[in-house]
Amino acid sequence: MIEREEMPYDVVIVGGGPAGLSTAIRLKQVDPELQVCVLEKGSEIGAHILSGATIDPKALDELLPGWADDGCPLAETPVTDNLHWHLTKKGKVSMPEILMPPFMSNEGNFTGSLGNLCRWLAEKAEELEVEIFPGFPAAEILYDDNGAVIGVQTGDMGVDREGNPKDDFQPGMNLLGKYTVFCEGARGHLTKRLKAKYDLEANCEPQIYGLGIKELWDIDPDKHAPGRVIHTQGWPLSESDSWGGGFLYHQANNQVSLGFVTALDYKNPYVYPFEEFQRWKQHPEIRKILEGGKRVAYGARAINEGGWQSVPQLAFPGGVLAGCSAGFVNVPRIKGTHTAMKSGMLAAETIAAAIKAGREQDALMEYDTAVRESWIAKELKLVQNAEPMVAKWGGELGTILAGADMWLRTLFGFGLAKPMKHHTDASTLQRADLYKPIEYPKPDGVISFDRLTSVSYSFTNHEEEQPCHLRLKDPTVPTAINLPVYAGPEARYCPAGVYEFVDPDGAGPRLQINAQNCVHCKTCDIKDPTQNIEWVTPEGGGGPNYPNM
């Protein structure tokens, strides 16, 4: 038995993103005497944060009024221009904003780095005496004898590949709380366990996801239009019967944030999201913005796309889910920061009231109710059929139907259909023999790049002498099923080149896992057709170190 230090708090928060930091700030605003800590697996706050990002400041206005005059970096670039293009292979059709429901407008929003916003929020939390521990991932959930969550255990440090302590071994700590808030982001590994243990998804649809891949570029100042926001749909995914879209945001300092989201419900196992992004950048309208510029950063993450019908039960004995752990992304708006922050604020208010009443480690169902009666629910219900309609009827017809459904819900309170159902992304992949391999163009090294070079721009680093954090439940499955049936899709859906099939000695192929490349996007945990891969936290501080993402 390893002796572990125990640290008691009133509230333990897992995840230093916008939801976790908003929870911490609101807790201290309501009751400054509360003892609150935030655990963050990244080397610093913001290191693992990646988003487009164009942000609705609604929740920020509620949490910290006057933020725009208080040094918040988000205030630097308000949205000034909103464009939506439907791309063909060589051209574009501009979609008039008047055709879209009013809530789709970006008027009053801001574009910038979500990572830098989180760094600023962390400063505000620390001013309120919140204790923040970067580089300490929550590795295990702690329960009492009655099955209630009583806190989390941080990961051990200094363990070799076989799990044996090295000379610099440091055991993880037990952080105990009256309540624990899980804000791990999309597909959090502890959240998965909580959903299973407490059957939190018994009355909702399964969560589904998109893979967002992003780059930052410094561009020619003559091409830069601060505050211009561009969204695209159509080509190139239209050629593989998949769907998703691109974004390009003109941010501060002659920099653009651009990226591409591929919905992970695609059927064709030869679809290669990274290469689809590289193709998209070569579109004439995108390329002419980037020409003469320089790429400075790269990264990827999974995005919740299930909408309102995929929100699970949010409370369980001893804890709650908030932010992307629960799944509050507004898919048509491509926004989830404001809803994540609001959920954290509601969690904080509920928890503070419960502690004041002398309660602890019970199920805070009033938090679940508060979310379902908030503007989060009102907003997400308006768009709850947008994703499934596009998924069912394709990019063109599905977009028209989704638009009609959103307009009807906005104007009359009902849509074209009842809330539609989802299928897990892992279940949608079909056999490789039903499709032809897709020939992707080679990168030119100017606009498009190869995958491993791209990973170097994520500044990812892991301690190599540690257990692999990408676990195979059955090591025979990749070569017995995934390779012969699905043509080894893990070699394509991973945006970091973690998985590759090799045969160095001619004895037959095997799956090689290059865990040191992992950017923590969780796509493998989501899309693996046999659900044989489990993502768990690596040693603290490992992973990407995103600047300004």
Side-chain angles (χ1 to χ4, degrees):
M1 295 293 293
I2 299 174
E3 289 190 14
R4 298 184 185 276
E5 181 181 353
E6 291 190 347
M7 300 177 65
Y9 290 89
D10 291 307
V11 186
V12 175
I13 299 170
V14 179
L21 293 168
S22 297
T23 305
I25 291 169
R26 180 61 105 209
L27 280 165
K28 297 294 269 187
Q29 288 174 337
V30 174
D31 185 353
E33 299 304 313
L34 289 173
Q35 299 299 306
V36 181
C37 77
V38 177
L39 295 176
E40 166 55 41
K41 65 183 175 68
S43 60
E44 64 170 356
I45 293 293
H48 290 180
I49 296 294
L50 181 147
S51 181
T54 295
I55 296 173
D56 184 335
K58 186 174 184 178
L60 193 54
D61 290 338
E62 294 182 16
L63 181 66
L64 294 165
W67 61 271
D69 299 316
D70 194 21
C72 181
L74 188 64
E76 195 168 2
T77 313
V79 173
T80 57
D81 196 11
N82 192 45
L83 305 175
H84 195 121
W85 298 339
H86 180 88
L87 299 183
T88 61
K89 190 170 185 177
K90 296 295 184 183
K92 75 174 191 295
V93 176
S94 295
M95 300 176 65
E97 193 168 351
I98 196 172
L99 297 179
M100 302 178 192
F103 63 78
M104 292 291 289
S105 171
N106 276 304
E107 184 177 354
N109 295 335
F110 294 80
T111 183
S113 163
L114 183 59
N116 287 341
L117 173 60
C118 288
R119 292 178 178 101
W120 181 81
L121 288 172
E123 292 175 3
K124 296 301 173 185
E126 289 179 326
E127 288 173 7
L128 296 171
E129 299 186 345
V130 172
E131 295 184 36
I132 299 177
F133 301 114
F136 285 88
E140 301 291 341
I141 306 167
L142 301 175
Y143 302 95
D144 67 13
D145 293 340
N146 296 318
V149 174
I150 58 172
V152 293
Q153 183 179 108
T154 63
D156 294 337
M157 307 277 280
V159 179
D160 68 18
R161 293 176 187 267
E162 284 71 45
N164 301 310
K166 298 187 295 187
D167 292 340
D168 60 348
F169 175 73
Q170 295 181 358
M173 299 181 294
N174 291 339
L175 284 86
L176 307 178
K178 295 174 181 176
Y179 295 100
T180 306
V181 185
F182 292 85
C183 308
E184 298 180 282
R187 196 69 169 197
H189 85 291
L190 297 183
T191 300
K192 279 179 59 181
R193 298 176 189 178
L194 292 165
K195 286 180 176 180
K197 180 177 178 64
Y198 298 112
D199 200 15
L200 301 180
E201 294 183 306
N203 298 310
C204 71
E205 292 297 306
Q207 186 58 259
I208 56 175
Y209 302 87
L211 170 59
I213 305 177
K214 174 183 173 180
E215 293 177 349
L216 286 180
W217 283 64
D218 292 330
I219 65 167
D220 183 341
D222 292 338
K223 300 179 180 180
H224 191 248
R228 175 170 292 168
V229 166
I230 301 170
H231 292 107
T232 79
Q233 64 185 84
W235 189 88
L237 289 176
S238 56
E239 294 185 355
S240 59
D241 195 27
S242 308
W243 70 279
F247 63 86
L248 194 151
Y249 304 152
H250 290 250
Q251 299 178 344
N253 303 315
N254 296 319
Q255 197 163 77
V256 293
S257 163
L258 66 149
F260 197 79
V261 179
T262 302
L264 288 176
D265 64 352
Y266 62 82
K267 299 175 182 178
N268 184 343
Y270 292 111
V271 168
Y272 196 154
F274 174 86
E275 294 293 355
E276 296 291 347
F277 175 38
Q278 303 309 310
R279 292 179 73 199
W280 175 81
K281 287 190 294 176
Q282 294 286 6
H283 188 279
E285 295 293 336
I286 305 300
R287 183 182 177 100
K288 70 182 182 183
I289 297 172
L290 300 179
E291 283 181 325
K294 178 183 179 182
R295 181 176 65 161
V296 295
Y298 169 87
R301 61 161 287 192
I303 304 167
N304 294 303
E305 292 192 339
W308 184 247
Q309 55 267 57
S310 293
V311 173
Q313 180 178 310
L314 300 173
F316 44 87
V320 298
L321 303 179
C324 284
S325 280
F328 297 121
V329 173
N330 184 321
V331 179
R333 294 187 75 196
I334 324 180
K335 290 179 178 61
T337 300
H338 64 304
T339 49
M341 292 178 67
K342 179 63 174 178
S343 70
M345 294 156 62
L346 292 172
E349 291 160 6
T350 307
I351 290 169
I355 292 175
K356 186 176 181 180
R359 297 163 56 187
E360 59 182 84
Q361 279 135 22
D362 58 342
L364 295 170
M365 295 309 297
E366 58 266 46
Y367 163 62
D368 190 280
T369 300
V371 170
R372 297 178 194 279
E373 293 178 351
S374 71
W375 55 255
I376 297 174
K378 181 178 180 181
E379 177 175 329
L380 295 186
K381 286 178 180 178
L382 291 175
V383 301
Q384 62 187 326
N385 278 344
E387 189 282 340
M389 283 184 165
V390 175
K392 184 172 183 177
W393 284 293
E396 295 186 5
L397 178 58
T399 297
I400 294 171
L401 293 173
D405 188 85
M406 289 189 294
W407 268 113
L408 285 171
R409 291 177 184 275
T410 300
L411 296 174
F412 304 112
F414 62 86
L416 292 176
K418 294 179 180 180
M420 297 172 68
K421 296 184 179 299
H422 297 310
H423 302 284
T424 65
D425 295 315
S427 70
T428 60
L429 204 67
Q430 296 186 357
R431 301 192 322 265
D433 61 3
L434 301 175
Y435 297 89
K436 293 181 179 179
I438 300 173
E439 295 294 331
Y440 289 100
K442 292 183 179 181
D444 61 14
V446 178
I447 301 296
S448 55
F449 307 94
D450 67 88
R451 193 165 48 172
L452 292 183
T453 300
S454 296
V455 173
S456 70
Y457 282 81
S458 69
F459 310 102
T460 295
N461 182 62
H462 291 90
E463 170 59 51
E464 291 193 25
E465 189 62 23
Q466 65 171 299
C468 181
H469 68 279
L470 302 160
R471 299 177 179 174
L472 299 180
K473 298 173 185 176
D474 182 343
T476 68
V477 163
T479 52
I481 299 176
N482 286 11
L483 186 58
V485 178
Y486 302 103
E490 51 267 70
R492 289 180 292 279
Y493 59 57
C494 174
V498 169
Y499 302 96
E500 59 179 329
F501 288 92
V502 299
D503 185 9
D505 53 13
R510 63 176 177 84
L511 181 66
Q512 179 169 294
I513 300 178
N514 306 307
Q516 67 273 16
N517 290 358
C518 179
V519 295
H520 299 197
C521 74
K522 316 290 181 65
T523 303
C524 55
D525 195 296
I526 295 164
K527 188 61 179 174
D528 179 39
T530 51
Q531 287 295 275
N532 189 49
I533 300 172
E534 182 185 18
W535 191 100
V536 299
T537 54
E539 191 168 291
N545 285 280
Y546 293 136
N548 306 321
M549 294 284 262

